[in-house]
Amino acid sequence: MALGSPKQRAVLSLLASRAGEVVSGDTITSALWGSDTPQTAANGVHTYVARLRRALEPGRGNRAASAVLSSEPGGYCLRLEPTDVDATLFVERHGHARRSREGGSAETTLRLYEDALALWRGEAYSGVPGPFAAMEGVRLRDLRLTAVEEWAAVMVEAGEHAEVVDALSRAAAEEPLREKLRWLLMLALYHAGRQAHALAVYTETRQLLRRELGIEPGTELQDLHRRILAGQRELRLPGGGLTPRPREGLGAGVPLPAQLPPVARGFTGRDTELKQLEGLLDDESTSRATRPSTPVIVVDGPAGVGKSALVLELAHRLSDRFPDGQLYVDLCGNGLRGRPLTASDALLQLLTSLGADSTRIPRDLAGRATLYRSLLYGRRMLVVLDDALSVDQLRPLIPRGASCVVATSRQRFGGLAARDGARTHTVRPLAVDEAAQLLTALSGGRLSQEPRTARRLAALCGGLPLALRITAEGIAANPDVPLATLVEQYTLESGRLDRLTVADDALASVRDAFETSYQALPAEAARMFRFLGLAKDGPITGTVAAALADTDRDTARQLLDTLVAHHLLEDHGHRYRLHDLLGIYAAECAQSEPMLNRRAALARLAQAQPVVLDDRPAEKDRGESYAVVLRRAAVLRRAAFRRCDDVTRPTDLTAR
């Protein structure tokens, strides 16, 4: 068919690569123009889609709905089975061939590889513009060359040395810097009785690498060259095979990655959350049969709530589902363990773990992401990305295929869920019973006979596992201090955060954990957080927030939503609430505001909502007289002013 302009074909290419899935307009514009999106991009996409419909369904009426390229809520969908697309079918056939190598006959395996490679007709995405086509073209080209290498290895193992030389020579000429192709070519030439030609290939490769990259050939190529010079007849990779099996294909001598850190001692509770997360993974595994996307789960929640411990417990439980290994990267999003990793830094760490030669890892982000996806292709790996700072940090680390990504973050990544199909799960503080159980287990047995004391301390810690662990350590480290004295020390708000700190360890400090979340806020949201600290004990509404911050209600609600997204505020419908420990921290932050600003904020609050600090039913429901309500409002006014020790009541408000 005549499919129109290059960009029109680019739209079809993107939709075909995600056949049966809804692709948003924003995704299409990004695929066509990248970051240089023109103002007319949306109209252009509509035009391209309309023209494609006419080309694909020439007999369809102007008002009839398209049965091939349909409009859906949120975007467009190409109504095809994924296996109707040659690239998807190639990936499927390549997978069948790989599995056959593990136990099938050489004849069957060769036929499967040849069926997969027969789908290729020229370069993928040739003449198709846009960053998506460029990236996918590189990815598919790499997969094709990988399939050629694996097919050639089976041919050499089967003794078809002469027959494979021609195909390897063409592939090596197409990709001259790909050492694996030249390694196989040298081996095939040597076993075909052409030792001089095999040595000439090595000399040519060495000169090319030194001229183009300034490096020497890799150790495998050098070792093969040495063994050919020595005249050894049986030349095979370690382990007896010409190429490793897929799960061992991380490079010679590179063990399967098992990088999960140990689970924190005394992990308690979270049974419901673990079942929910396992259910999400089961749902993703079921739907993967119809769409080739990688399951992505993001566990978010406030600082100190135990996100990492929960994910590591889940990962250890499910490690048997991922026989090709587990990768772990601490993205350092909170900044307590150093500067946050960029996506490129994280990819360098992942590629090194996968056995990639550091001298051959691309320097640019796109190149590293492509190599990462290629190395994970066809493998079932669990990738744990701890403490992510932003969506841009996460997206390049998500491969496609049978692997699974589980990430943690202090922020809610709604965009990753909407655009990339990630599943999100918010972790809440522990219930009082579970919190008391954790505290008892970690405190050296001192609380085993004091359940009421354990519950009281658990409530004072707000159910935050970080606070509970610090408290348990303090109890165990001070066996001579009576429990009643310890409880009294934690009861006082003024020193509670000081108690919830381990000296000289920023990772074991509740205040430092809150501080990093606060510092990540936009300026206006941070200002709102400080003002909320002036009214932390009462219910927070849009009206309260607007009065405190001296802004309109819509702006106030937007700022409150930002705090909720950063898990510094809890949303309870039309009312908001600060966690008890976060409320204490917010009150501390409020002291950084000038006195006049605090005084003005409390005055605005008292004027806007005289009884807003009282959450009891209104006068009509209680049958109270208007005079009683006024007296109660006056008491609440005075209470509001006492929130700030150095503030006195303005005379004009007193008179009013």
Side-chain angles (χ1 to χ4, degrees):
M1 294 181 176
L3 294 174
S5 66
K7 277 194 166 49
Q8 195 164 301
R9 288 186 283 116
V11 172
L12 183 62
S13 299
L14 173 62
L15 294 173
S17 72
R18 301 184 182 182
E21 299 181 29
V22 177
V23 183
S24 68
D26 290 342
T27 301
I28 296 175
T29 56
S30 297
L32 265 61
W33 290 281
S35 59
D36 190 22
T37 304
Q39 294 183 349
T40 59
N43 291 334
V45 170
H46 289 309
T47 301
Y48 297 145
V49 169
R51 291 174 179 172
L52 283 172
R53 284 171 173 161
R54 288 196 293 269
L56 296 172
E57 299 176 277
R60 181 180 60 88
N62 291 334
R63 296 184 178 275
S66 175
V68 177
L69 179 50
S70 61
S71 296
E72 303 291 341
Y76 303 98
C77 178
L78 189 63
R79 295 295 178 184
L80 294 176
E81 291 296 325
T83 51
D84 288 335
V85 181
D86 55 0
T88 307
L89 187 58
F90 165 71
V91 172
E92 181 180 287
R93 290 182 180 179
H94 185 197
H96 293 329
R98 278 187 154 183
R99 286 188 290 275
S100 177
R101 287 191 68 194
E102 297 184 14
S105 65
E107 182 181 357
T108 300
T109 302
L110 287 172
R111 177 178 55 78
L112 291 171
Y113 272 112
E114 288 161 3
D115 287 346
L117 291 169
L119 292 168
W120 281 83
R121 297 180 297 278
E123 287 293 318
Y125 293 93
S126 176
V128 178
F132 169 80
M135 291 287 293
E136 280 294 283
V138 171
R139 182 182 73 88
L140 289 171
R141 173 190 175 94
D142 185 76
L143 288 181
R144 179 175 63 83
L145 291 173
T146 299
V148 170
E149 290 170 349
E150 293 167 355
W151 166 81
V154 178
M155 288 284 285
V156 174
E157 283 183 310
E160 305 291 342
H161 307 124
E163 292 79 358
V164 79
V165 166
D166 184 55
L168 284 172
S169 298
R170 291 197 305 270
E174 178 185 346
E175 191 67 35
L177 298 178
R178 197 173 176 104
E179 290 189 41
K180 184 62 176 292
L181 286 171
R182 290 179 174 263
W183 188 94
L184 287 165
L185 178 58
M186 288 174 60
L187 189 64
L189 286 167
Y190 181 67
H191 281 304
R194 300 168 60 181
Q195 179 179 1
H197 289 90
L199 294 173
V201 170
Y202 178 82
T203 301
E204 177 189 353
T205 303
R206 184 167 183 259
Q207 293 174 347
L208 180 66
L209 291 173
R210 295 181 67 178
R211 182 176 67 251
E212 296 294 331
L213 303 177
I215 60 175
E216 291 292 327
T219 55
E220 290 183 2
L221 209 59
Q222 292 184 36
D223 181 63
L224 179 61
H225 176 247
R226 177 184 56 79
R227 294 165 73 184
I228 290 175
L229 286 174
Q232 296 183 17
R233 296 306 305 171
E234 294 296 327
L235 301 183
R236 294 177 177 272
L237 280 175
L242 290 169
T243 57
R245 290 177 7 172
R247 73 172 58 176
E248 301 167 342
L250 305 179
V254 178
L256 291 179
Q259 300 179 347
L260 296 178
V263 178
R265 181 176 69 90
F267 182 88
T268 302
R270 303 297 192 193
D271 292 335
T272 301
E273 289 91 337
L274 288 168
K275 289 180 181 177
Q276 290 173 343
L277 290 171
E278 287 190 39
L280 290 178
L281 280 176
D282 291 338
D283 291 344
E284 291 293 327
S285 299
T286 301
S287 61
R288 191 187 303 150
T290 58
R291 54 182 178 85
S293 57
T294 298
V296 180
I297 295 176
V298 181
V299 177
D300 57 58
V305 80
K307 302 178 293 295
S308 298
L310 174 63
V311 164
L312 288 176
E313 176 70 18
L314 175 72
H316 281 285
R317 290 188 181 190
L318 302 181
S319 59
D320 290 344
R321 296 190 188 184
F322 301 95
D324 295 323
Q326 307 92 42
L327 296 167
Y328 174 86
V329 179
D330 183 354
L331 297 173
C332 302
N334 60 39
L336 290 174
R337 293 177 292 273
R339 69 174 182 85
L341 294 184
T342 64
S344 186
D345 293 337
L347 283 169
L348 177 61
Q349 182 176 330
L350 288 165
L351 290 170
T352 303
S353 300
L354 291 169
D357 188 340
S358 59
T359 62
R360 290 166 174 79
I361 295 176
R363 295 184 179 181
D364 60 299
L365 174 61
R368 288 180 177 181
T370 300
L371 179 59
Y372 168 66
R373 289 194 296 269
S374 298
L375 289 177
L376 285 189
Y377 164 75
R379 300 185 175 92
R380 287 185 58 80
M381 278 193 175
L382 178 62
V383 183
V384 177
L385 305 172
D386 200 8
D387 195 17
L389 178 64
S390 66
V391 171
D392 291 337
Q393 189 186 36
L394 270 185
R395 277 199 176 108
L397 311 182
I398 300 174
R400 294 190 69 185
S403 296
C404 174
V405 175
V406 182
T408 70
S409 178
R410 293 185 183 181
Q411 300 180 38
R412 187 174 299 161
F413 292 152
L416 195 70
R419 177 179 172 182
D420 302 89
R423 307 290 289 271
T424 60
H425 180 86
T426 299
V427 181
R428 309 292 181 188
L430 289 171
V432 174
D433 290 339
E434 289 185 336
Q437 184 180 352
L438 176 61
L439 198 58
T440 301
L442 297 176
S443 58
R446 291 194 66 190
L447 292 172
S448 57
Q449 302 301 320
E450 299 282 348
R452 294 183 62 184
T453 301
R455 288 174 62 85
R456 174 62 176 155
L457 284 171
L460 290 171
C461 292
L464 283 183
L466 176 60
L468 292 166
R469 289 180 177 277
I470 296 172
T471 301
E473 191 278 333
I475 294 173
N478 297 278
D480 298 329
V481 179
L483 287 175
T485 302
L486 290 173
V487 172
E488 184 179 352
Q489 292 173 347
Y490 282 96
T491 301
L492 299 174
E493 283 192 0
S494 58
R496 196 180 305 173
L497 292 184
D498 294 328
R499 302 286 303 175
L500 295 174
T501 298
V502 176
D504 302 323
D505 189 350
L507 294 177
S509 168
V510 172
R511 180 184 282 112
D512 287 346
F514 291 164
E515 175 75 14
T516 54
S517 295
Y518 169 70
Q519 293 294 339
L521 290 172
E524 286 301 311
R527 177 176 176 270
M528 174 64 80
F529 182 74
R530 294 193 295 272
F531 280 129
L532 293 182
L534 298 174
K536 69 181 183 65
D537 294 324
I540 299 169
T541 64
T543 301
V544 170
L548 287 169
D550 194 20
T551 186
D552 60 86
R553 291 187 184 183
D554 289 340
T555 301
R557 287 195 181 93
Q558 291 175 5
L559 295 174
L560 293 175
D561 289 342
T562 299
L563 294 176
V564 170
H566 283 74
H567 292 290
L568 289 170
L569 190 65
E570 298 174 4
D571 186 355
H572 296 277
H574 296 295
R575 291 177 181 267
Y576 300 85
R577 177 185 174 274
L578 284 164
H579 181 276
D580 292 344
L581 297 181
L582 273 169
I584 297 173
Y585 176 72
E588 291 182 0
C589 293
Q591 298 304 310
S592 65
E593 282 290 323
M595 180 187 66
L596 291 178
N597 288 0
R598 285 178 278 161
R599 174 188 297 172
L602 289 171
R604 289 191 301 269
L605 176 61
Q607 287 178 309
Q609 291 284 341
V611 294
V612 73
L613 296 183
D614 189 1
D615 201 24
R616 292 178 292 174
E619 170 215 350
K620 182 177 179 181
D621 297 328
R622 293 169 55 87
E624 295 178 327
S625 68
Y626 187 55
V628 172
V629 174
L630 288 180
R631 284 197 299 273
R632 185 151 53 90
V635 173
L636 293 167
R637 248 190 230 104
R638 289 194 293 273
F641 283 115
R642 284 198 299 272
R643 293 302 305 151
C644 193
D645 295 336
D646 54 355
V647 173
T648 58
R649 292 176 294 169
T651 56
D652 60 337
L653 182 59
T654 303
R656 190 153 52 245

